[in-house]
Amino acid sequence: MYMRTSNFLICTQKETPADAEVISHQLMLRAGLIRKLAAGLYTWLPLGLRVLRKVEAIVREEMDRAGAQEISMPVVQPAELWEESGRWEEYGPELLRIKDRHDRDFCLGPTHEEVVTELVRNEIKSYKQLPLNLYQIQTKVRDEIRPRFGIMRSREFLMKDAYSFHETPASLADTYDVMHGAYSAIFTRLGLDFRPVIADTGSIGGSSSHEFHVLAGSGEDDIAFSDGSGYAANVEMAEALPHSDTRAAASDDMAEVATPGVHTIDELANSLAIPAETTVKTLLVKADDDTGSPVALVLRGDHQLNEIKAEKLAGIASPLAMVEEDAARATCGAGFGSLGPVGLAIPVIVDRSAAVLADFVCGANKDGFHLTGVNWERDLPLPRIEDLRNVVQGDPSPDGNGNLQIKRGIEVGHIFQLGTKYSEAMQANVLNENGKNVPMFMGCYGIGVSRIVAAAIEQNHDDNGITWPTAMAPFQLAIVPLNMHKSEAVAACAEELYADCVAAGIDVLMDDRNERPGVKFADMELMGIPHRIVIGDRTLADDKLEYKGRSDDEATLLPREGILAALQERMAS
Amino acid sequence: MYMRTSNFLICTQKETPADAEVISHQLMLRAGLIRKLAAGLYTWLPLGLRVLRKVEAIVREEMDRAGAQEISMPVVQPAELWEESGRWEEYGPELLRIKDRHDRDFCLGPTHEEVVTELVRNEIKSYKQLPLNLYQIQTKVRDEIRPRFGIMRSREFLMKDAYSFHETPASLADTYDVMHGAYSAIFTRLGLDFRPVIADTGSIGGSSSHEFHVLAGSGEDDIAFSDGSGYAANVEMAEALPHSDTRAAASDDMAEVATPGVHTIDELANSLAIPAETTVKTLLVKADDDTGSPVALVLRGDHQLNEIKAEKLAGIASPLAMVEEDAARATCGAGFGSLGPVGLAIPVIVDRSAAVLADFVCGANKDGFHLTGVNWERDLPLPRIEDLRNVVQGDPSPDGNGNLQIKRGIEVGHIFQLGTKYSEAMQANVLNENGKNVPMFMGCYGIGVSRIVAAAIEQNHDDNGITWPTAMAPFQLAIVPLNMHKSEAVAACAEELYADCVAAGIDVLMDDRNERPGVKFADMELMGIPHRIVIGDRTLADDKLEYKGRSDDEATLLPREGILAALQERMAS
């Protein structure tokens, strides 16, 4: 759509707003995409809404293409349904609960599993009507305790939420794959560097889940992904492999060294002038028996325990519980900082990477002493080996292809196989082929539509402002006439080019404001318009116009003749 | 967009739902446009959402064309702003008030004057930035005490609300006219029979206002409109003119007749065997003095007092207060039913139409008696003449062109000149040309987007279901193959035509369900698809297909050759 700045509300600001912590929030305020109404509540200005609508349109097109059907459910939801699913009690204060004028309980929907399940259990009676995938693009409300980062973590946000219904887990898995593909298509079309990552299913329940993350330094999550394949997972979820399957032969003798005042791995490595990766640390956690007796977990000194992995292991209490120092001393003969696996009479589990160490250093189970030159199967038996740690940069990829990179990601999408959690609780059944009433299998699929706008800026900006991917830019082209109100030649050329762009269907913004060139340039760069053409008397005298791509270092002079085709070529590339 | 019924959630119902009072509510449920979640809360199913989106798109296009700029404000609004405008106290329990987790007051916005004024007072500083017209299309919440008529009076609904800001009343009037034109364009494009009617400005305040009504028998408002011009007004607002400017000469003598037991005009007309329009009735209301002394209002017997008009008159208490019967008797010497204007010693005001009567009948101010053959300026002085009554069918149009028709209307749009009500209360000022800080003049412009869908059905339906105007139909064409799953010829022809329609960009629904023909026909008619083509072996044998327009009595056979062009021709007409 075409527009003149004289008819378009431009609300750019020079100063970085004081209370905006992250760059996307700063730039969304400065470029005039949004304005704050109250904590976590934002108005989308015309410029911002254009971007949001572009994202929304791509999401809708790909959902439709994937066979999902759009519906629109109410924002206000009756408490009764949440009581049926059990979430009226379970859900925290993020659920904004309200009472209507008749004192009946309702909530503002942060998500719509209950409502859609109520709809489908009433409308769908037979397996023949399945599978069914329903979605909506809707304002959601979540009463964040501390809204922050602008629209990234706001109380009102635009969400695409989809819910699929199936007779069988296999059908659910099929649709799940289709949604995985649709999400990949969406983020690819948006022009974002993203990763679908294997995710923990967390509190929502269910059996399989992927998050879609836009990679950006300011992300809240650590994502591990292979440099040699499509593998990606949340750091907590990624399987940690050792760099080698085999252990070097022992070359040193085991020896006890005094390490007075040494309590941490850093202190140990410094004190002995050795790399931390040649040490191991020993952590004591409680077993899952009645007494919570200690189990020793042994990891390489530079690695971090992954609590999610540990508490899933047989024999270990879940949630994970650390043993107190008194109990550790009673069991091992030393306090934290001097524990080690040698000679322990309790169950020991060793991480895969620690299990392939030779000549390693560990606590001596004697305060102020460590052992050096320790070797498995010589100085102590090789214990049970498990995956106990978080992956680190450079680890082998679990799929065997390439090595892991770790970057920060912003979650913008999430797909879940819910199974029958909601359909069983709410008796959402269908008759199957055998005439038997069975609960439907469900999947749910969310995209944070407004969040994508912020994530895109986190990934695409420079010192001058936003550098939108083409598909998200509010306008493709800015026409910036200089001294338009004084120079007839400039005005005529600008109007002619603008009319040509309008006729060609280009998303063009004509900056016909009576402002200084510097103000116009700064605004167009801040707003991130990918292509800019400047029209001034100086270059017009040579029948030239000045072109600059948003990320170009320098402007280029283009002949006035054939300028539209030249611009179209640049916009298509 | 094209679709197959096998991939499209069809939720038609044969039975009329018991709790749906109006036809649009019944048909929206039966055709599967909406489903009820709770009182006044509805989910839009895929079929209904297609219609809603078509309406939304037309509204957006015309608003953009009229120079309005789209924004999106939060649904949740802080109480502080409503306290500034004074509406936190004024607004009734329709305003759904909520508290967030920090116990702060918010409400769910039924309208956004406060929020947009807050935005504009922060962003706009100079008259040079005006006029400005901002709109949004958004879910609104109003906690109706008794939600009813489906989405016609629901608690959540989709609204287009626009707000304009101006330096001068003249600029406001200009934009108001532009919005009037845009609204007319919207309802014309939607294919609805509508009237823009002069409206009371009511509680929202301000100086000028029009409502846009879709005419339909089930409407809640009576609309008076001229059959000879574009004049239209709410019945309460329309100026009532007499049929004649002159009074006939007196021909009877005044005489007293006994009318025992007569209390009403109907009884009087029956008792004397005369038309009600030759009688007058006399009502006593209180004056606006300290004692509320009586004033007599005299109207033709068959006319109704318009209280809004009466209470605006000088000398009459506002709000209008009727005099009690005891006080009437003390003043006039008779009770209700026998009052009349002859010989009264209190102020009398006569309606224009009663003032041109000759030889009329009225109460004798003596219980059980009336006077006949009464004439102004002979038997009593002609008192002050005013417009006191509601217009009736056949009255002269106030603009001098044609006569008034009265139909019921459904309000789907409303435009207001608000003036400075909000800008003064909230200090939304700009610097004018003289460098003086002045409050902005504001207009507001609403359209009930979801309500339009119901109103359109109230106006466009028959015994078989909905008869959508073209622009609102969820699909333009239904292809109904008979026995498709058994006849290869039918399947091949249907698939070919469907593919042709898809390629031609036709909104086509292919009914590929394995259902009986009667079920398919009934569903397509109920859903209101304007054009239907039936493909069956019987007509295929003659290379013919059966076409039927939604409101055609009979189907027509069309040659299979060139069928697409033939359909396109019919769809364009």
Side-chain angles (χ1 to χ4, degrees):
Chain A
M1 213 175 70
Y2 51 93
M3 193 60 73
R4 291 169 189 267
T5 49
S6 53
N7 299 326
F8 193 72
L9 185 63
I10 299 213
C11 301
T12 51
Q13 297 174 343
K14 274 201 183 134
E15 287 75 31
T16 300
D19 60 341
E21 296 170 59
V22 296
I23 190 76
S24 61
H25 190 194
Q26 293 168 4
L27 287 175
M28 290 186 78
L29 291 170
R30 285 190 54 212
L33 300 174
I34 56 169
R35 282 296 177 265
K36 179 174 165 179
L37 171 64
L41 299 172
Y42 291 87
T43 291
W44 289 80
L45 298 176
L47 189 75
L49 193 61
R50 284 177 71 92
V51 177
L52 189 65
R53 292 273 186 257
K54 293 198 173 194
V55 176
E56 188 182 329
I58 288 176
V59 170
R60 179 173 286 116
E61 279 172 30
E62 294 299 329
M63 290 301 293
D64 289 341
R65 194 195 309 273
Q69 298 183 53
E70 190 174 1
I71 62 173
S72 177
M73 295 180 271
V75 175
V76 177
Q77 307 183 3
E80 288 78 7
L81 289 179
W82 288 68
E83 279 158 1
E84 271 195 69
S85 74
R87 291 208 297 178
W88 188 254
E89 298 300 324
E90 281 170 27
Y91 220 99
E94 289 79 29
L95 185 66
L96 190 45
R97 292 155 217 254
I98 62 179
K99 282 183 187 290
D100 74 359
R101 62 194 290 165
H102 305 297
D103 215 37
R104 282 190 289 254
D105 286 315
F106 290 85
C107 64
L108 299 185
T111 174
H112 278 67
E113 281 83 1
E114 285 83 358
V115 175
V116 76
T117 303
E118 151 79 2
L119 175 73
V120 171
R121 72 177 169 186
N122 290 333
E123 302 300 326
I124 302 295
K125 302 296 176 194
S126 158
Y127 74 97
K128 291 182 190 165
Q129 298 167 278
L130 300 179
L132 178 68
N133 191 359
L134 300 173
Y135 79 98
Q136 59 176 358
I137 298 178
Q138 188 192 41
T139 298
K140 296 277 193 284
V141 179
R142 188 156 52 201
D143 198 1
E144 292 280 352
I145 188 164
R146 196 167 71 87
R148 58 192 183 280
F149 309 151
I151 54 150
M152 192 97 86
R153 193 166 288 278
S154 56
R155 297 203 275 186
E156 250 187 75
F157 49 97
L158 191 66
M159 181 101 177
K160 188 285 298 172
D161 48 327
Y163 308 90
S164 71
F165 296 83
H166 310 269
E167 187 196 359
T168 63
S171 167
L172 167 57
D174 284 347
T175 294
Y176 185 85
D177 289 344
V178 169
M179 283 295 101
H180 193 291
Y183 275 41
S184 297
I186 287 166
F187 297 114
T188 301
R189 280 185 63 187
L190 289 171
L192 297 173
D193 186 11
F194 74 98
R195 293 289 185 286
V197 311
I198 302 160
D200 189 20
T201 50
S203 61
I204 201 166
S207 49
S208 182
S209 168
H210 282 85
E211 291 171 1
F212 286 74
H213 283 258
V214 167
L215 300 182
S218 57
E220 292 186 277
D221 295 289
D222 279 321
I223 308 303
F225 59 94
S226 171
D227 58 11
S229 75
Y231 176 87
N234 251 318
V235 158
E236 289 75 26
M237 288 292 292
E239 187 184 0
L241 296 178
H243 280 268
S244 163
D245 287 342
T246 55
R247 204 165 63 228
S251 59
D252 282 357
D253 290 337
M254 185 163 80
E256 188 176 283
V257 293
T259 48
V262 165
H263 292 95
T264 68
I265 292 293
D266 277 351
E267 289 165 357
L268 178 63
N270 284 337
S271 149
L272 301 183
I274 53 168
E277 46 269 47
T278 63
T279 69
V280 305
K281 58 185 168 193
T282 303
L283 306 167
L284 296 190
V285 299
K286 293 183 182 174
D288 63 350
D289 57 18
D290 290 344
T291 58
S293 63
V295 176
L297 305 180
V298 179
L299 294 100
R300 222 170 69 179
D302 60 326
H303 286 159
Q304 295 299 319
L305 175 68
N306 181 313
E307 300 197 4
I308 298 168
K309 290 177 180 176
E311 70 190 17
K312 283 184 181 160
L313 293 178
I316 294 191
S318 175
L320 199 70
M322 305 306 289
V323 168
E324 321 256 302
E325 188 155 15
D326 286 352
R329 190 177 300 278
T331 305
C332 307
F336 296 159
S338 297
L339 299 180
V342 179
L344 278 189
I346 57 173
V348 177
I349 305 175
V350 64
D351 178 67
R352 294 158 171 179
S353 295
V356 294
L357 288 180
D359 301 325
F360 61 84
V361 176
C362 63
N365 294 325
K366 184 173 159 193
D367 285 332
F369 288 89
H370 279 78
L371 299 174
T372 62
V374 184
N375 283 278
W376 302 110
E377 295 182 298
R378 183 192 73 181
D379 307 318
L380 74 173
L382 184 61
R384 173 179 164 198
I385 302 173
E386 297 283 3
D387 176 10
L388 287 179
R389 67 173 176 96
N390 286 333
V391 294
V392 295
Q393 179 93 11
D395 272 348
S397 178
D399 68 353
N401 299 310
N403 292 93
L404 293 181
Q405 305 293 308
I406 295 183
K407 285 200 180 167
R408 309 215 29 107
I410 301 169
E411 186 191 332
V412 288
H414 205 158
I415 59 178
F416 272 110
Q417 294 191 26
L418 287 170
T420 57
K421 176 181 160 79
Y422 292 92
S423 49
E424 282 189 11
M426 296 179 64
Q427 275 120 50
N429 300 321
V430 283
L431 284 177
N432 69 10
E433 263 181 289
N434 307 320
K436 208 183 139 199
N437 232 1
V438 293
M440 287 178 267
F441 288 84
M442 287 174 60
C444 74
Y445 318 93
I447 286 184
V449 178
S450 45
R451 194 167 226 248
I452 286 173
V453 178
I457 296 173
E458 291 291 339
Q459 191 179 78
N460 300 278
H461 64 269
D462 63 16
D463 289 346
N464 297 326
I466 304 168
T467 57
W468 293 115
T470 302
M472 296 179 67
F475 297 94
Q476 293 304 312
L477 172 67
I479 300 177
V480 183
L482 306 180
N483 269 316
M484 187 185 186
H485 300 80
K486 289 186 186 153
S487 164
E488 277 182 32
V490 167
C493 177
E495 292 294 351
E496 187 189 325
L497 178 57
Y498 181 63
D500 287 349
C501 289
V502 170
I506 295 170
D507 260 2
V508 60
L509 181 65
M510 160 96 128
D511 195 351
D512 59 355
R513 291 176 297 171
N514 194 4
E515 290 277 7
R516 287 181 298 109
V519 170
K520 294 184 174 191
F521 295 162
D523 278 353
M524 297 303 124
E525 297 211 316
L526 181 56
M527 300 191 310
I529 301 177
H531 305 273
R532 185 185 83 190
I533 198 92
V534 176
I535 302 174
D537 281 316
R538 203 173 44 79
T539 62
L540 264 192
D542 298 332
D543 278 327
K544 295 253 169 34
L545 305 178
E546 192 188 286
Y547 167 84
K548 186 169 177 298
R550 175 63 182 82
S551 298
D552 294 349
D553 290 328
E554 299 289 340
T556 319
L557 286 179
L558 296 178
R560 182 177 172 179
E561 181 78 28
I563 184 71
L564 184 68
L567 287 172
Q568 283 176 314
E569 193 180 306
R570 277 169 173 78
M571 282 188 272
S573 66
Chain B
M1 212 174 71
Y2 50 92
M3 194 61 73
R4 291 168 188 270
T5 49
S6 53
N7 299 325
F8 193 73
L9 185 62
I10 298 212
C11 299
T12 51
Q13 296 173 345
K14 273 201 186 136
E15 287 76 30
T16 299
D19 60 344
E21 298 169 58
V22 295
I23 190 77
S24 61
H25 190 192
Q26 293 167 3
L27 287 175
M28 288 186 80
L29 290 170
R30 285 191 52 212
L33 300 174
I34 56 169
R35 282 297 178 265
K36 180 174 165 179
L37 171 64
L41 299 173
Y42 290 87
T43 291
W44 289 81
L45 298 177
L47 190 74
L49 193 61
R50 285 178 69 93
V51 177
L52 189 65
R53 292 271 187 256
K54 294 199 173 196
V55 176
E56 189 182 329
I58 288 176
V59 170
R60 179 173 285 118
E61 280 172 28
E62 294 299 329
M63 290 302 291
D64 288 342
R65 194 194 308 273
Q69 298 183 52
E70 190 174 1
I71 62 174
S72 177
M73 296 180 270
V75 176
V76 177
Q77 306 183 3
E80 288 77 9
L81 289 180
W82 288 69
E83 280 158 1
E84 269 194 70
S85 74
R87 291 209 295 179
W88 189 254
E89 297 301 322
E90 281 170 27
Y91 220 101
E94 291 79 31
L95 185 65
L96 191 45
R97 291 153 218 255
I98 60 178
K99 282 181 187 290
D100 75 358
R101 63 194 290 166
H102 305 298
D103 214 35
R104 282 190 290 253
D105 286 314
F106 290 85
C107 64
L108 300 185
T111 173
H112 277 67
E113 281 83 1
E114 284 83 358
V115 175
V116 77
T117 302
E118 150 79 1
L119 175 71
V120 171
R121 73 178 169 185
N122 290 333
E123 302 300 326
I124 301 296
K125 301 298 175 193
S126 160
Y127 74 97
K128 290 181 191 165
Q129 297 168 279
L130 300 179
L132 178 67
N133 192 358
L134 300 173
Y135 79 98
Q136 58 177 357
I137 298 177
Q138 187 192 41
T139 298
K140 295 277 192 284
V141 179
R142 188 158 51 201
D143 197 1
E144 292 280 352
I145 188 163
R146 196 167 72 86
R148 58 192 182 283
F149 308 152
I151 55 150
M152 192 97 86
R153 194 166 287 279
S154 57
R155 297 205 277 186
E156 251 188 73
F157 49 98
L158 192 64
M159 180 100 176
K160 188 284 300 171
D161 48 330
Y163 308 90
S164 70
F165 295 84
H166 310 270
E167 186 197 358
T168 63
S171 167
L172 167 57
D174 284 348
T175 294
Y176 184 86
D177 288 344
V178 169
M179 283 295 99
H180 192 291
Y183 276 41
S184 298
I186 287 165
F187 296 114
T188 301
R189 281 185 63 186
L190 289 171
L192 297 172
D193 186 10
F194 73 98
R195 293 288 184 287
V197 309
I198 301 160
D200 190 19
T201 50
S203 62
I204 201 169
S207 50
S208 184
S209 167
H210 281 84
E211 291 172 3
F212 285 75
H213 283 259
V214 168
L215 301 182
S218 58
E220 291 186 278
D221 295 290
D222 279 322
I223 307 303
F225 59 94
S226 172
D227 58 11
S229 74
Y231 177 87
N234 251 317
V235 158
E236 289 74 25
M237 289 292 293
E239 187 184 359
L241 296 179
H243 279 269
S244 162
D245 287 341
T246 55
R247 202 165 65 226
S251 58
D252 282 357
D253 291 334
M254 183 165 82
E256 188 177 283
V257 294
T259 48
V262 165
H263 293 94
T264 67
I265 292 292
D266 278 352
E267 289 165 358
L268 177 63
N270 285 338
S271 148
L272 302 183
I274 53 170
E277 46 269 45
T278 63
T279 69
V280 305
K281 57 185 168 193
T282 303
L283 307 167
L284 296 190
V285 300
K286 293 184 181 172
D288 63 351
D289 57 19
D290 291 343
T291 58
S293 62
V295 176
L297 305 181
V298 179
L299 294 99
R300 224 169 69 179
D302 59 325
H303 285 159
Q304 296 298 318
L305 175 68
N306 181 311
E307 301 197 2
I308 298 167
K309 290 177 180 176
E311 70 191 15
K312 282 184 181 161
L313 293 178
I316 294 189
S318 175
L320 200 71
M322 304 308 289
V323 168
E324 322 256 300
E325 188 155 16
D326 286 351
R329 190 177 299 279
T331 305
C332 307
F336 296 158
S338 298
L339 299 180
V342 179
L344 279 189
I346 57 171
V348 177
I349 305 177
V350 63
D351 179 67
R352 293 159 172 181
S353 295
V356 294
L357 287 180
D359 301 325
F360 61 84
V361 175
C362 63
N365 293 325
K366 184 171 157 191
D367 285 334
F369 289 88
H370 279 77
L371 299 174
T372 62
V374 183
N375 282 278
W376 301 109
E377 296 184 297
R378 184 192 73 180
D379 307 319
L380 74 172
L382 184 61
R384 174 178 165 196
I385 302 173
E386 298 282 3
D387 176 10
L388 287 177
R389 68 175 176 93
N390 285 334
V391 293
V392 295
Q393 180 93 11
D395 272 347
S397 177
D399 68 352
N401 299 311
N403 292 92
L404 292 182
Q405 306 291 310
I406 295 183
K407 286 202 178 164
R408 301 198 61 85
I410 300 168
E411 186 191 333
V412 288
H414 205 159
I415 58 177
F416 273 111
Q417 294 189 26
L418 288 170
T420 56
K421 175 182 159 79
Y422 292 92
S423 49
E424 283 190 11
M426 296 179 66
Q427 275 118 49
N429 301 321
V430 282
L431 284 177
N432 68 10
E433 262 181 288
N434 307 319
K436 208 183 136 198
N437 231 2
V438 293
M440 286 179 269
F441 288 84
M442 287 175 60
C444 75
Y445 317 94
I447 286 184
V449 179
S450 45
R451 194 166 226 246
I452 286 174
V453 178
I457 296 173
E458 291 291 339
Q459 191 180 78
N460 300 278
H461 64 269
D462 63 16
D463 289 347
N464 297 327
I466 304 167
T467 57
W468 293 115
T470 303
M472 296 180 65
F475 297 95
Q476 293 303 313
L477 173 67
I479 300 177
V480 183
L482 307 181
N483 270 319
M484 187 185 185
H485 300 81
K486 289 186 186 152
S487 164
E488 277 181 32
V490 167
C493 178
E495 292 293 352
E496 187 189 327
L497 179 58
Y498 181 63
D500 287 348
C501 289
V502 169
I506 296 170
D507 260 2
V508 59
L509 180 66
M510 160 96 130
D511 195 352
D512 59 355
R513 292 175 297 171
N514 194 4
E515 291 280 5
R516 286 180 298 109
V519 170
K520 293 183 175 193
F521 295 161
D523 278 352
M524 297 303 126
E525 298 211 315
L526 180 56
M527 300 191 311
I529 302 177
H531 306 273
R532 185 185 83 189
I533 197 91
V534 176
I535 302 173
D537 281 317
R538 200 171 47 79
T539 62
L540 263 191
D542 298 332
D543 278 328
K544 294 257 167 44
L545 305 178
E546 192 188 286
Y547 168 83
K548 186 167 176 300
R550 175 63 182 81
S551 298
D552 294 349
D553 291 329
E554 299 288 341
T556 319
L557 287 179
L558 296 178
R560 181 177 174 179
E561 180 78 26
I563 184 71
L564 183 68
L567 287 171
Q568 283 175 314
E569 192 180 309
R570 277 170 173 74
M571 282 188 271
S573 65

